[in-house]
Amino acid sequence: MKSLKQVNHHLQFLSNPSKPFAIYPFARQFCASSSSSEIEKSKNSELSLTQQELTKINLLIPRLCLSDHLTTAIHLTTTSLLTNPPQKSISFSILIHFLTSQPDMAKSMSFLTILRHTPQVHCHLTPITTMLITSYVKKRRPKEALKVYQWMQRPGSPCKVERIVYEVLVNRFCGFGLVLEGLRILKDMVAVGFVPKNGLRRTVYRSLLREARVGKAVELNEALYGCFEDDNGEGVKKVRELLDSIIGNWTE
């Protein structure tokens, strides 16, 4: 893997406005270290990036995205993460925005696959997948958000699905009229011990009413409300059984 001196040498041009902005050659050289053999070598290395280098990388990633070098931006991000930077020291927001703006999910899934097969960066997978899901639903692309969620749920996945992911998906799926999918995710949410808060509970209730499932709406709403005062787990069990019944009897 390139030494930090070499990396710093390649980053120098960002601080020199008099030089032309040759994005692709620089990034290609920097990202060459992301090959599988070099990743293996990095396990025993003690490389780290300085704050100045991190700042320059955070400036470069948006420029790569804006210049239609999204694949290079992905590899630059992955290579940077191999140096074990502090959490939140590398900004993913611009990259995520451009990934979720693509007409298909090829680059998003490629990014996730690279991260999945690079154990050193697994600690960053949960925030990245969370941002992808949130960005997709904001762009009204629920199917893509669901695909990322299902990717997170695969056996052996290093991702942890956080409460916010369940809440965003259930809320938005119900809002999009995809109530059945919302209920399935709600079932997953309850199964891991997250009880919906009042706002989300009311969203589910209103969604079932719009589907003319008044009886089930009332029954589920009462069961969810009862979970807050449940000390022995019976309330959660009742909610799961009720959701199983609603989902099993659902007709599109």
Side-chain angles (χ1 to χ4, degrees), residues 126-127 130 152 160-167 194:
T126 293
T130 299
M152 295 176 74
K160 176 185 177 183
V161 184
E162 298 182 335
R163 172 186 279 274
I164 188 173
V165 171
Y166 292 113
E167 292 177 338
F194 293 138

Side-chain angles (χ1 to χ4, degrees), residues 207-237:
S207 297
L208 286 171
L209 290 180
R210 286 196 296 270
E211 295 289 327
R213 299 173 187 268
V214 179
K216 292 300 182 183
V218 173
E219 191 176 356
L220 180 59
N221 188 58
E222 291 176 350
L224 287 171
Y225 188 79
C227 285
F228 288 104
E229 300 177 356
D230 179 32
D231 295 325
N232 55 19
E234 288 300 315
V236 171
K237 181 181 178 181

Side-chain angles (χ1 to χ4, degrees), residues 61 70-81 90-97 99-100 105-118 121-122 124-125 127-129 131-132 136 151:
I61 291 173
L70 196 52
T71 299
T72 307
I74 289 171
H75 286 289
L76 174 59
T77 301
T78 307
T79 304
S80 302
L81 292 177
I90 294 179
S91 176
F92 305 121
S93 57
I94 298 297
L95 177 60
I96 296 297
H97 168 71
L99 286 173
T100 56
M105 296 188 69
K107 286 185 169 58
S108 291
M109 300 313 295
S110 173
F111 185 34
L112 293 179
T113 300
I114 292 170
L115 296 177
R116 178 184 173 88
H117 292 290
T118 311
V121 304
H122 280 181
H124 298 280
L125 255 177
I128 288 172
T129 48
M131 291 176 71
L132 279 170
Y136 273 127
W151 185 90

Side-chain angles (χ1 to χ4, degrees), residues 141-169:
R141 301 180 68 177
K143 292 182 180 179
E144 288 83 351
L146 181 61
K147 185 172 181 179
V148 177
Y149 171 74
Q150 291 170 338
W151 185 90
M152 295 176 74
Q153 296 281 63
R154 294 192 307 177
S157 171
C159 296
K160 176 185 177 183
V161 184
E162 298 182 335
R163 172 186 279 274
I164 188 173
V165 171
Y166 292 113
E167 292 177 338
V168 166
L169 287 174

